[in-house]
Amino acid sequence: MARTLIALATAGAVTAASLALAGEPGEPGGRGEPGEPTTVSTGWTIPWGTSWLPDGSAALVTERDDFRVWRVSKDGKDKQRLGTVPESQTTGGEGGLMGIAVDPDWATNHHVYVMHTSTEGNRIARMTYDGTTLSGYKPLLKGIKKNKYHNGGRLAFGPDGYLYATTGDAQDKALAQDRNSLSGKILRLTKDGRPAPGNPFGNHVYSMGHRNPQGIAFDARGRLWEAEFGENKKDELNLIKPGGNYGWPTCEGTCDVAGMTNPKKTWAVAEASPSGIAVVDSAVYLAALRGKRLWRVPINADNENVGTAKAYYVGAYGRLRSVTAVPGADALWLSTTNADGNGGQPDGSDKIFRVPIG
């Protein structure tokens, strides 16, 4: 019953107009492919999370290791520092200030949500952005286990109005299969940090069996897609359902084990290492770190089939971290993180690009 209620709530939030974007029955695809990127903004150091204001006028962008939050106008000409997130720290690896999500009701409550590493672990916190500065830091969910690597960190609001968060296994594989652990999961929360109504296990956990998920995005039907780092064999694109077990550490990629849900697409880790993902015009786009490319995977409106994955910009821009749909346009924002430990570039060398879809 809980799963039915979740599905109905999600589907009810999707309009007939958005369903029209989903393509013809039985044909994964979409109307266009990514074109030539143009530079929107420069001077970044490990930009990690991006979330648009509800009116589409600007996006908020986090920088992982400096804990800074910026406002960037849609044309990229106006870049304003809003402040830093208190009580943040790095892990010397993948932790720090990670995901950000602007409240869909921001115009009335001015709330912004962040996920970051702190003393006791990773946290989800809420702040107030009044149009000029960030203030009013309030932790909502603390004690998500941290480690040097595998911290997850992505935030996104679903069409059901609840906040979704990805968490890594914190390099403790067994936690991914523990329903009572917050690690190796996708979480679903209310805006005050409580477990969302209808969650499958009665706690914050929405799905389990994840190694290091960093990308989540909803399609026009309200379905949740997730990108996940594999260990040595296979990275994954998963279609997430409430209560689903996505296999880690029993499975990496596709396997034949009862109770485990297989991915919709896999890649060798050298070709992907996917971080952020976005959905535009019936295709999922995955930003690849180690693979240094943007993957496009066509999806289907009427069933769960996916089409052939295609890579773009291979090696052209280095490590790609976040990809975000631009509101009101067939376009993406795509950011690099070449200034991290693996990219080897100096501070300030990262960029944000605009990618047309047509």
Side-chain angles (χ1 to χ4, degrees):
M1 178 62 73
R3 298 186 188 189
T4 302
L5 291 173
I6 293 171
L8 289 173
T10 301
V14 182
T15 65
S18 66
L19 287 174
L21 298 174
E24 295 300 321
E27 254 181 70
R31 294 193 300 269
E33 296 190 4
E36 185 69 21
T38 57
T39 302
V40 170
S41 184
T42 61
W44 294 90
T45 302
I46 318 179
W48 206 99
T50 303
S51 182
W52 288 89
L53 296 176
D55 65 2
S57 62
L60 304 190
V61 181
T62 63
E63 286 185 299
R64 188 187 69 188
D65 289 1
D66 294 324
F67 322 131
R68 298 181 293 197
V69 181
W70 300 79
R71 178 191 182 275
V72 185
S73 62
K74 196 171 187 177
D75 61 9
K77 294 180 180 179
D78 184 17
K79 178 182 176 182
Q80 302 175 9
R81 179 176 169 176
L82 306 182
T84 58
V85 174
E87 303 183 29
S88 296
Q89 61 180 229
T90 70
T91 64
E94 296 171 349
L97 176 57
M98 297 171 287
I100 187 167
V102 178
D103 196 304
D105 299 317
W106 175 82
T108 55
N109 63 28
H110 299 302
H111 287 159
V112 174
Y113 301 79
V114 292
M115 188 165 177
H116 70 95
T117 309
S118 193
T119 304
E120 85 296 332
N122 292 311
R123 296 181 182 178
I124 298 170
R126 187 174 68 206
M127 298 188 72
T128 298
Y129 169 51
D130 62 4
T132 304
T133 60
L134 281 173
S135 62
Y137 174 82
K138 180 181 180 181
L140 300 180
L141 183 62
K142 300 171 66 175
I144 304 167
K145 188 174 180 179
K146 67 179 180 180
N147 212 316
K148 184 175 183 178
Y149 304 112
H150 301 191
N151 293 288
R154 198 72 58 176
L155 296 177
F157 273 97
D160 56 8
Y162 294 113
L163 182 64
Y164 292 73
T166 67
T167 68
D169 68 3
Q171 298 178 275
D172 186 347
K173 297 178 181 180
L175 296 180
Q177 290 295 321
D178 181 354
R179 293 183 181 182
N180 296 313
S181 169
L182 297 173
S183 301
K185 308 294 191 298
I186 294 177
L187 310 179
R188 180 172 174 264
L189 299 76
T190 66
K191 293 181 182 182
D192 60 4
R194 294 177 299 167
N199 279 358
F201 307 120
N203 55 12
H204 289 91
V205 175
Y206 188 73
S207 64
M208 58 187 291
H210 300 291
R211 180 177 178 270
N212 190 21
Q214 283 193 8
I216 47 174
F218 293 86
D219 67 16
R221 291 187 58 188
R223 299 179 300 186
L224 177 58
W225 297 86
E226 173 255 11
E228 185 161 337
F229 288 91
E231 185 172 38
N232 299 309
K233 298 177 181 178
K234 293 294 183 180
D235 296 323
E236 301 176 358
L237 173 66
N238 290 299
L239 179 58
I240 302 299
K241 297 183 180 180
N245 187 334
Y246 291 82
W248 180 254
T250 303
C251 305
E252 180 184 355
T254 301
C255 68
D256 186 18
V257 177
M260 306 298 181
T261 301
N262 279 328
K264 294 300 178 182
K265 188 71 68 175
T266 63
W267 294 265
V269 294
E271 297 177 328
S273 298
S275 184
I277 69 170
V279 179
V280 173
D281 194 21
S282 299
V284 179
Y285 294 85
L286 301 90
L289 292 167
R290 186 175 171 187
K292 299 180 181 180
R293 65 198 74 184
L294 180 70
W295 284 102
R296 179 183 186 270
V297 181
I299 57 176
N300 196 299
D302 300 291
N303 54 50
E304 298 179 0
N305 296 337
V306 301
T308 301
K310 184 176 179 180
Y312 298 82
Y313 324 129
V314 178
Y317 305 108
R319 293 165 57 79
L320 302 180
R321 170 72 66 178
S322 290
V323 58
T324 311
V326 177
D330 286 336
L332 302 164
W333 270 18
L334 180 64
S335 66
T336 70
T337 49
N338 292 313
D340 65 9
N342 292 309
Q345 297 298 311
D347 289 356
S349 62
D350 286 315
K351 299 178 181 180
I352 299 174
F353 300 97
R354 179 185 172 100
V355 178
I357 305 296

